[in-house]
Amino acid sequence: MIQTSEIKRVFDENDVVLIKSSINVYTKSILELVNFGLENDKVIFYISATVPSTVFKTIFESTGIAHDNIYFIDCTTYSFDITQDPNIIVVESPTMLETIIIKIMYLHKISKQKMPDKSPMIIVDSANSLSIHNDLGILSEFFHVLITMVRPTGAKLAILTIMEQLTEDLSHTLELISDTVLTE
Amino acid sequence: MYNPDRCKTGIGELDSLLNGGIPRGNSVLISGSCGTGKTTLSLEFLIHGVENGEKGLYISATEISSKVMKNMVPFQFFREEYFDSGKIKIMDIPNIYSKLNLKKLEFEQEDIDRLVNYIGEIVKNDGIKRIAVDSLTSICYRLRTEEKIRDFIIKFEEIVSKMGGTALMISELLPNAKGYSQYGVEEAVADGIILLGNLKRRGDLLRTLQIIKMRGTSHSRAEYVMDITPLGIMLSPLLKGWTVNQ
Ligand SMILES: Nc1ncnc2c1ncn2[C@@H]1O[C@H](COP(=O)(O)OP(=O)(O)OP(=O)(O)O)[C@@H](O)[C@H]1O
Ligand SMILES: [Mg+2]
């Protein structure tokens, strides 16, 4: 599991962090990350491409994590039913990468209106899942554009990967766009 | 930075793609097939204008204006009071036609002049700086010939530029249309063209926006992905997906 002190150290020094986590502790690593974000006055934009956002909402609830400041961009649920939840935005498909970028910028704008002091922490869960639906070229371009657009907002970006499922190509592409790598 | 020569649309990143906004005095064609966001863009443009102290005029031909307004309620930028207080004036084309007693299915030259003069008077008397004609295409139906369409648009453009205003002229396209307007004349005489479209990519349908031409400024010519959010229209660069490691 990633230690909180390690998370703090890397995000103090970097904006874009590639996190390689073992599948056994993957959820725990996410919880650590989310906790770190909330404790450090961040508003969290959580991109769900692996597990539906509702599942994580339930997990956060059961572990006592206050989730008012967590917004989900969910591209796993092909239904608009959950759009009733003001903290969940549905993107119809994980291939609509531009739409994900726009939703992030949208969330940034509305959270700035509500909480002008908080800057975003964007968690991508996970790059492995996105890479199933998108080729490496477009995925790398997606991260480039995303980083260029969010850097001026003071955002932190955590790109999650499951170590056991990481191909060499994907790993290499993600390392190129990240400021640093955190391996658990 | 405020630039008096530019009319800021206030829409997402469009102003930066236009190098600061639409050059004042321009009449710009907003072209797109149905449901591509033409009306939303026009109203966002007018409402943002009021925030800049510029009065607006919305000329509605295709939908009843009260219905158009109702569709705008969910948007955060929508301000009903701007319409109630007359900062944005709404005119339904059928009402204008009946007021001017324009009954013919095909307008004569003098009908065109009366229509343009009528709009011109309102613009002048109310000090209007932003106009949206939604849609130009529906007015063109009554003009029929290329000459009359050209004449109408050029006269309309004169009013706009004389007032130091800026206009959006909505051009309705068929889904598989080749050009940017139904008669072809519209795109030639317009000062600018912004194209709204749909892009099919691997089963996804993306909204797109692209500036085709804009007299008086350099501008982006790339295709952008557009999304209609509760905050209004927002844009992202279209990802092209060049492949690395090959
Ligand atoms: N509140 C909303 N939030 C997000 N999208 C919306 C909202 N309201 C409408 N839309 C989308 O915008 C589209 C219509 O936009 P708009 O009316 O501006 O298009 P248009 O080009 O003027 O269409 P038409 O050719 O029918 O006049 C709808 O089809 C819908 O997909
Ligand atoms: Mg319309």
Side-chain angles (χ1 to χ4, degrees):
Chain A
M1 197 178 83
I2 302 173
Q3 299 303 316
T4 311
S5 56
E6 265 302 279
I7 296 177
K8 184 169 166 26
R9 188 188 57 78
V10 289
F11 279 106
D12 275 349
E13 293 163 8
N14 305 280
D15 294 333
V16 183
V17 180
L18 174 61
I19 296 172
K20 297 184 180 176
S21 170
S22 164
I23 192 157
N24 308 316
V25 292
Y26 191 70
T27 307
K28 280 189 180 152
S29 299
I30 290 174
L31 291 176
E32 284 297 315
L33 207 55
V34 168
N35 260 326
F36 163 80
L38 294 176
E39 277 164 18
N40 286 274
D41 248 4
K42 301 280 178 200
V43 50
I44 293 181
F45 304 158
Y46 194 98
I47 301 166
S48 309
T50 312
V51 176
S53 55
T54 43
V55 172
F56 266 104
K57 246 195 128 154
T58 313
I59 295 177
F60 294 154
E61 263 161 32
S62 65
T63 48
I65 294 179
H67 47 78
D68 287 354
N69 293 341
I70 306 174
Y71 292 89
F72 293 92
I73 296 171
D74 190 326
C75 27
T76 66
T77 316
Y78 301 90
S79 124
F80 276 74
D81 293 351
I82 54 171
T83 49
Q84 304 305 331
D85 186 328
N87 281 38
I88 300 176
I89 295 180
V90 171
V91 171
E92 270 177 281
S93 152
T95 50
M96 296 176 81
L97 297 172
E98 294 93 341
T99 310
I100 296 176
I101 293 174
I102 295 175
K103 299 302 185 196
I104 291 172
M105 296 314 288
Y106 164 73
L107 284 178
H108 173 61
K109 282 191 180 173
I110 59 162
S111 64
K112 260 279 165 294
Q113 289 175 354
K114 281 194 217 158
M115 304 165 272
D117 302 333
K118 288 192 194 291
S119 62
M121 171 150 179
I122 303 161
I123 300 176
V124 180
D125 172 23
S126 64
N128 303 74
S129 301
L130 289 180
S131 78
I132 294 170
H133 302 277
N134 299 282
D135 70 47
L136 279 185
I138 205 162
L139 198 59
S140 133
E141 202 185 346
F142 162 71
F143 281 116
H144 269 288
V145 172
L146 179 62
I147 292 164
T148 315
M149 286 178 91
V150 301
R151 249 196 228 278
T153 69
K156 301 289 183 186
L157 175 61
I159 304 171
L160 288 169
T161 57
I162 299 166
M163 218 167 0
E164 290 84 349
Q165 299 166 4
L166 202 53
T167 63
E168 210 169 290
D169 277 352
L170 177 59
S171 179
H172 180 67
T173 303
L174 296 173
E175 279 163 21
L176 281 179
I177 51 120
S178 304
D179 299 335
T180 189
V181 183
L182 180 58
T183 308
E184 117 358 280
Chain B
M1 210 177 65
Y2 180 72
N3 181 345
D5 301 332
R6 291 304 171 100
C7 172
K8 277 202 186 301
T9 65
I11 292 155
E13 300 70 22
L14 184 57
D15 291 317
S16 54
L17 303 187
L18 287 164
N19 244 323
I22 299 173
R24 249 176 237 283
N26 273 6
S27 292
V28 177
L29 217 56
I30 306 295
S31 300
S33 57
C34 58
T36 48
K38 304 180 295 295
T39 300
T40 309
L41 189 147
S42 309
L43 286 166
E44 211 180 329
F45 166 80
L46 292 179
I47 290 169
H48 192 76
V50 176
E51 265 131 41
N52 279 2
E54 298 175 30
K55 281 192 179 175
L57 171 64
Y58 180 73
I59 302 176
S60 171
T62 34
E63 289 175 271
I64 305 160
S65 51
S66 58
K67 208 168 130 201
V68 173
M69 299 263 290
K70 211 176 122 233
N71 293 340
M72 290 298 126
V73 172
F75 293 107
Q76 220 191 81
F77 63 80
F78 183 69
R79 297 280 179 282
E80 198 166 0
E81 63 269 25
Y82 292 174
F83 295 86
D84 294 342
S85 65
K87 285 180 177 143
I88 299 173
K89 213 181 171 105
I90 295 195
M91 296 197 317
D92 285 316
I93 279 271
N95 293 344
I96 301 178
Y97 288 170
S98 67
K99 202 173 219 160
L100 297 177
N101 209 16
L102 299 175
K103 289 187 186 136
K104 294 185 211 94
L105 282 180
E106 182 172 352
F107 289 168
E108 310 288 338
Q109 189 59 48
E110 59 165 330
D111 300 326
I112 297 176
D113 290 339
R114 276 167 64 208
L115 181 58
V116 174
N117 288 340
Y118 181 75
I119 297 172
E121 281 302 305
I122 290 172
V123 168
K124 212 167 93 188
N125 294 339
D126 288 26
I128 283 161
K129 293 291 180 200
R130 296 191 186 203
I131 309 175
V133 184
D134 192 356
S135 67
L136 178 65
T137 313
S138 65
I139 294 180
C140 290
Y141 285 138
R142 297 284 197 106
L143 305 173
R144 306 253 171 122
T145 68
E146 288 193 5
E147 289 76 19
K148 285 187 203 163
I149 294 172
R150 183 187 306 273
D151 186 56
F152 171 78
I153 298 175
I154 288 175
K155 283 178 175 154
F156 174 79
E157 287 180 338
E158 253 173 42
I159 294 174
V160 174
S161 66
K162 253 195 204 141
M163 280 298 294
T166 312
L168 302 184
M169 308 181 291
I170 308 316
S171 160
E172 294 172 65
L173 299 179
L174 295 171
N176 46 8
K178 288 245 159 49
Y180 307 107
S181 54
Q182 224 158 91
Y183 299 87
V185 197
E186 304 97 298
E187 60 199 65
V189 285
D191 296 313
I193 303 171
I194 296 175
L195 178 65
L196 306 185
N198 290 309
L199 176 71
K200 258 197 190 143
R201 188 178 68 193
R202 293 172 59 207
D204 297 330
L205 191 62
L206 301 168
R207 293 182 191 281
T208 59
L209 179 149
Q210 188 171 26
I211 303 164
I212 305 295
K213 80 165 176 182
M214 190 62 64
R215 289 179 186 146
T217 182
S218 61
H219 59 84
S220 145
R221 293 172 48 82
E223 208 170 3
Y224 278 72
V225 172
M226 175 178 125
D227 192 17
I228 303 178
T229 76
L231 289 179
I233 288 171
M234 292 182 74
L235 303 173
S236 153
L238 175 71
L239 305 178
K240 293 168 195 78
W242 39 267
T243 308
V244 287
N245 299 337
Q246 266 195 1

